[in-house]
């Protein structure tokens, strides 16, 4: 996993669209900084459609495309459930015994625990098992990022190293 993805996993949060027209903007960079996140290297956007307010930190970075890294677990989980690959969040993924980057990853996982721990190998298994055509179709249907996952050689890394990018 590259350094950019580690940063994105721990410090880059991006929610919803970057379109702010008509929204009352509340700058929260000081709050974000107070919890130890670098506001020079992170972005956060939360929009409330009900009262047309949004909270923003790192606004200049919000429209810059980045690989989704850990946030891709959201569409990947939904796809796995929707296509029936995982009947429910309790589907067990057997650990292959290969030691990985984080100790918490080095065990059997359910879809639920994999989501909570961002267990990369589980999502790589899901995308690999479902294949490029299925994943490409679903990423397109979800209108997720630039919707481009590349070819078969990218199936286990497209959200980590590209070509998939979100902003």
């Amino acid at each position: 996993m590259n350094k950019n993805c580690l940063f994105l996993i721990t410090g880059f949060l991006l929610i919803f669209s970057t379109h702010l027209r008509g929204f009352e903007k509340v700058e929260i960079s000081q709050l974000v900084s107070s919890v130890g996140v670098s506001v020079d290297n992170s972005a956060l956007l939360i929009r409330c459609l009900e009262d047309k307010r949004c909270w923003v930190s790192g606004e200049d970075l919000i429209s810059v495309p980045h690989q989704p890294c850990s946030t891709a677990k959201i569409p990947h989980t939904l796809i796995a459930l929707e296509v029936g690959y995982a009947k429910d969040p309790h589907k067990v993924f057997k650990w292959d015994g290969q030691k990985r980057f984080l100790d918490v990853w080095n065990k059997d996982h359910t879809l639920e625990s994999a989501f909570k721990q961002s267990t990369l190998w589980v999502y790589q298994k899901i995308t690999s098992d479902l294949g490029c055509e299925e994943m490409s179709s679903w990423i397109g249907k979800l209108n997720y990022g630039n919707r481009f996952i590349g070819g078969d050689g990218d199936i286990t890394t497209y959200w980590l190293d590209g070509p998939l990018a979100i902003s």
Side-chain angles (χ1 to χ4, degrees):
M1 185 178 309
N2 68 36
K3 289 181 206 172
N4 289 336
C5 282
L6 287 177
F7 160 73
L8 289 172
I9 288 169
T10 59
F12 185 84
L13 299 173
L14 183 58
I15 303 171
F16 300 110
S17 162
T18 61
H19 189 73
L20 301 179
R21 190 177 353 194
F23 282 79
E24 173 193 344
K25 184 170 57 170
V26 179
E27 174 61 49
I28 59 168
S29 293
Q30 189 172 8
L31 174 65
V32 170
S33 181
S34 75
V35 296
V37 176
S38 168
V39 296
D40 295 327
N41 297 316
S42 65
L44 173 65
L45 172 65
I46 303 170
R47 293 187 340 170
C48 179
L49 299 177
E50 212 170 80
D51 64 6
K52 295 287 191 183
R53 287 192 303 160
C54 67
W55 297 265
V56 65
S57 174
E59 186 172 358
D60 291 343
L61 292 176
I62 287 174
S63 62
V64 177
H66 293 282
Q67 280 70 50
C69 295
S70 184
T71 61
K73 68 186 177 187
I74 297 167
H76 289 161
T77 300
L78 294 172
I79 293 165
L81 291 167
E82 183 66 25
V83 301
Y85 178 84
K87 300 285 186 224
D88 61 56
H90 306 292
K91 174 183 171 71
V92 175
F93 294 86
K94 292 286 187 189
W95 179 47
D96 62 6
Q98 181 183 341
K99 292 280 186 184
R100 294 187 170 81
F101 175 71
L102 296 174
D103 286 338
V104 72
W105 292 355
N106 298 326
K107 63 180 184 177
D108 293 350
H109 276 276
T110 62
L111 187 59
E112 180 178 25
S113 69
F115 186 86
K116 288 178 181 176
Q117 301 297 326
S118 294
T119 307
L120 178 60
W121 68 264
V122 170
Y123 290 99
Q124 289 178 316
K125 177 161 180 44
I126 291 168
T127 58
S128 180
D129 287 353
L130 292 179
C132 194
E133 189 175 320
E134 183 88 31
M135 292 306 300
S136 182
S137 173
W138 277 99
I139 293 296
K141 287 177 194 176
L142 293 170
N143 199 26
Y144 189 68
N146 64 2
R147 299 174 307 281
F148 184 59
I149 70 166
D152 290 334
D154 303 307
I155 195 64
T156 61
T157 59
Y158 64 82
W159 66 97
L160 304 170
D161 301 323
L164 185 65
I166 62 173
S167 62

